[in-house]
């Protein structure tokens, strides 16, 4: 099994969650149970699924959870676009760059897991 705390994808996911929490704390109060809650839940789901998948006993399950993390990332990105269009996110945020970096890293991990599984590593 892989220790999720050593995975770059998990670390970037945690950083992403912290940034989402920091930025969404400035959203209007009337969004607390709407967009604020939704974007935070989607963001938290990313490293959570990476961690859960890494604790599973099979490569198939791990890659399934990594794909779920990618889905949560897409959900968070959609909510970020909505928040930006509503004027809730600052213009100068690098959130979208971080989102893309996290996506590339998770996809790379999927490829790595599949490749090492073929070599009997998992």
């Amino acid at each position: 099994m892989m220790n999720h705390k050593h995975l770059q994808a998990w670390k970037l996911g945690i950083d992403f969650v912290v940034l989402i929490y920091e930025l969404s704390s400035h959203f209007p109060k009337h969004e607390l149970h709407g967009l604020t809650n939704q974007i935070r839940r989607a963001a938290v789901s990313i490293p959570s699924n990476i961690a859960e998948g890494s604790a599973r006993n099979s490569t198939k399950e791990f890659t399934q959870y990594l794909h779920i993390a990618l889905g949560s990332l897409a959900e968070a990105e959609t909510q970020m676009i909505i928040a930006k269009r509503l004027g809730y996110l600052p213009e100068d945020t690098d959130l979208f760059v971080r989102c893309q970096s996290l996506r590339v890293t998770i996809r790379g991990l999927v490829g790595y897991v599949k490749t090492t599984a073929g070599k009997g590593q998992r």
Side-chain angles (χ1 to χ4, degrees):
M1 282 190 246
M2 293 184 175
N3 183 334
H4 64 277
K5 294 177 188 172
H6 297 151
L7 297 172
Q8 185 65 17
W10 181 83
K11 292 175 187 177
L12 289 175
I14 293 293
D15 292 343
F16 184 76
V17 170
V18 171
L19 185 57
I20 287 289
Y21 266 77
E22 288 170 355
L23 291 172
S24 65
S25 70
H26 301 290
F27 287 7
K29 295 297 177 207
H30 68 270
E31 287 291 353
L32 185 60
H33 298 291
L35 191 55
T36 304
N37 185 45
Q38 282 293 112
I39 197 169
R40 287 177 174 183
R41 288 172 59 93
V44 167
S45 180
I46 299 163
S48 298
N49 277 293
I50 294 168
E52 185 171 355
S54 71
R56 296 296 175 146
N57 290 324
S58 75
T59 300
K60 183 178 180 181
E61 284 182 296
F62 191 13
T63 57
Q64 179 182 356
Y65 277 89
L66 291 174
H67 283 104
I68 293 168
L70 284 168
S72 294
L73 180 57
E75 182 181 353
E77 184 178 31
T78 298
Q79 294 156 358
M80 289 165 25
I81 291 167
I82 293 166
K84 185 150 181 109
R85 289 187 65 180
L86 290 171
Y88 300 164
L89 288 175
E91 290 297 320
D92 62 347
T93 183
D94 70 342
L95 193 56
F96 292 95
V97 172
R98 288 183 185 219
C99 188
Q100 179 61 21
S101 176
L102 182 54
R103 179 180 296 106
V104 167
T105 304
I106 296 171
R107 285 184 179 156
L109 181 56
V110 169
Y112 173 79
V113 169
K114 287 181 178 180
T115 300
T116 57
K119 296 177 182 175
Q121 299 267 333
R122 196 123 149 98

